[in-house]
Amino acid sequence: MDRNYHVFSDGRLERSDDTLRLVTETGDKKYVPIENAEAFFLHGQIDFNTRLMSFLNQRTVALHVFGWEDYYAGSVMPKRGQTSGRTVVEQVRAYEDTDHRRRLAAAMVSASIHNMRTNVVYYNNRNRGLETEIDDLDAASARVDQTRPIDELMGVEATARKAYYRGFNQILPEEFRLERREYNPPPNEVNSLISFGNALVYANCVSAIRATALDPSISYLHEPGERRYSLSLDLADLFKPVLADRVLFRLINRNQITASDFESELGSCLLNEGGRKTYTKAFEETLERTVEHPKLNRKVSYQYLMRLEAYKLKKHLLTGEEYEPFERWW
């Protein structure tokens, strides 16, 4: 099974024959596994050189870099396993076709709201008093229309997400409050966890898209822009509630992450190294969990669901088969 590996210690990542090692600032050398790796996630101040990049390219391993304040700084992607001019042509054609783009964007917004709602319903069934949030999410879902302009669909999704985040205060202990969603930088613990988790989902979607011939910069809900993989933003919105948020709820409610796992500086609140390790361990364990897929008739991992999402979109663009975005069914 392909896996992600997270590197936290400051130092230098270098190739040693057919292995990798991390040379820390104190001179200690740590073996870093490369076998069956799909991607490395670098957290902290870690140096690497072109020799390492060539090695990772040969192994088709991606490198996702997280910089100061836990921000996703970018990815160094290996050569593409698949290339298809026809796929890119059809991808652009769908973007330029206003009706087609709106259909795809509306489907993504509807599925995103559905996945937020499943979390709220789950905790409402555990006496958290979330009936108002469920009603607000249902109202937002009813406003999703394939004829709406993209900016209006984005507004509907934002309204739904505002109601969804409001419910965090009923799901989490009182000491972990979310007055409103803020980032750049995150001012408190919950905002910090949301930002960090969302960045991990986004980076994993980058890897999933790379496995197809889709161009990650051509998107349908989010506007394509400079220096970002906007298609990853589209797909990440579907998986944030299932991955990032459920991990957040679980770790806080089980007291596995506490106030001691954060540090504040310059008006920001960030996970410390121990907190990042706890969160990423739970996140990776969640990626490896499996569920019975109703159409494939076999168990698939959460990580594979993201890759499957990219393939579903590609198949839609090439064959016209209806694209049904991921909606949690279990």
Side-chain angles (χ1 to χ4, degrees):
M1 178 184 295
D2 290 342
R3 294 189 58 192
N4 297 328
Y5 294 98
H6 295 259
V7 182
F8 296 93
S9 301
D10 292 349
R12 184 176 71 257
L13 193 62
E14 61 183 30
R15 174 182 178 178
S16 178
D17 297 325
D18 287 330
T19 63
L20 293 182
R21 65 184 181 186
L22 177 70
V23 182
T24 67
E25 292 182 322
T26 60
D28 295 333
K29 298 178 181 180
K30 299 180 180 180
Y31 168 74
V32 180
I34 187 71
E35 299 83 2
N36 301 318
E38 177 173 283
F40 283 102
F41 291 70
L42 304 187
H43 308 269
Q45 302 300 312
I46 302 172
D47 297 327
F48 51 91
N49 58 27
T50 55
R51 186 166 180 259
L52 172 68
M53 299 318 305
S54 177
F55 178 54
L56 294 180
N57 186 60
Q58 293 171 8
R59 296 292 190 108
T60 66
V61 176
L63 198 64
H64 301 299
V65 181
F66 287 71
W68 185 70
E69 294 186 342
D70 295 335
Y71 287 145
Y72 168 79
S75 298
V76 182
M77 304 300 293
K79 59 186 177 183
R80 296 175 67 89
Q82 298 186 40
T83 57
S84 169
R86 183 186 169 211
T87 298
V88 176
V89 168
E90 294 300 333
Q91 198 177 348
V92 173
R93 186 171 290 162
Y95 169 80
E96 292 183 333
D97 183 329
T98 299
D99 291 338
H100 195 169
R101 184 185 177 191
R102 287 180 179 178
R103 288 196 302 272
L104 289 173
M108 290 173 175
V109 171
S110 181
S112 176
I113 294 174
H114 169 89
N115 293 333
M116 288 186 272
R117 188 181 187 279
T118 60
N119 281 351
V120 177
V121 169
Y122 174 86
Y123 283 98
N124 188 61
N125 291 338
R126 284 151 180 78
N127 301 315
R128 300 301 177 92
L130 292 160
E131 291 83 1
T132 299
E133 285 71 23
I134 292 174
D135 289 343
D136 289 346
L137 288 169
D138 288 342
S141 183
R143 292 176 55 208
V144 178
D145 190 316
Q146 295 180 355
T147 65
R148 284 188 180 275
I150 299 298
D151 60 341
E152 291 186 14
L153 288 170
M154 291 283 287
V156 171
E157 196 273 344
T159 298
R161 198 164 292 277
K162 185 176 181 180
Y164 173 61
Y165 283 141
R166 191 173 66 239
F168 278 38
N169 289 333
Q170 280 70 53
I171 296 172
L172 299 174
E174 186 173 354
E175 59 268 29
F176 286 93
R177 304 294 295 175
L178 181 66
E179 299 302 330
R180 60 182 179 275
R181 178 72 177 107
E182 294 181 83
Y183 48 91
N184 196 23
N188 54 46
E189 293 88 352
V190 180
N191 272 297
S192 177
L193 284 169
I194 293 172
S195 293
F196 188 59
N198 286 353
L200 291 177
V201 175
Y202 172 85
N204 275 275
C205 285
V206 172
S207 291
I209 293 169
R210 180 203 153 274
T212 73
L214 291 169
D215 188 312
S217 65
I218 303 169
S219 51
Y220 302 103
L221 178 59
H222 295 83
E223 194 65 37
E226 300 294 331
R227 297 186 299 275
R228 69 177 187 177
Y229 296 130
S230 50
L231 185 59
S232 293
L233 295 174
D234 284 358
L235 301 190
D237 277 353
L238 304 174
F239 291 97
K240 288 173 185 175
V242 177
L243 291 170
D245 298 339
R246 289 304 289 265
V247 170
L248 182 157
F249 298 150
R250 186 164 65 250
L251 290 176
I252 291 180
N253 284 327
R254 294 179 180 177
N255 209 36
Q256 292 173 280
I257 278 188
T258 66
S260 65
D261 291 302
F262 299 86
E263 53 190 20
S264 298
E265 59 178 59
L266 300 177
S268 65
C269 179
L270 305 173
L271 284 162
N272 58 30
E273 183 173 324
R276 287 196 297 271
K277 286 182 177 180
T278 298
Y279 186 95
T280 54
K281 182 176 185 293
F283 186 90
E284 293 299 329
E285 289 172 350
T286 301
L287 283 179
E288 293 179 5
R289 288 183 180 179
T290 60
V291 294
E292 189 73 29
H293 196 282
K295 293 185 177 180
L296 298 179
N297 294 318
R298 61 183 176 89
K299 289 187 175 182
V300 299
S301 68
Y302 284 38
Q303 187 168 44
Y304 185 77
L305 286 173
M306 286 187 280
R307 184 172 297 185
L308 182 63
E309 197 64 24
Y311 279 119
K312 283 162 48 183
L313 179 58
K314 175 185 174 181
K315 187 173 183 179
H316 163 76
L317 295 170
L318 293 179
T319 70
E321 180 177 311
E322 183 179 0
Y323 170 59
E324 298 178 355
F326 165 74
E327 291 186 354
R328 181 171 180 163
W329 63 84
W330 66 94

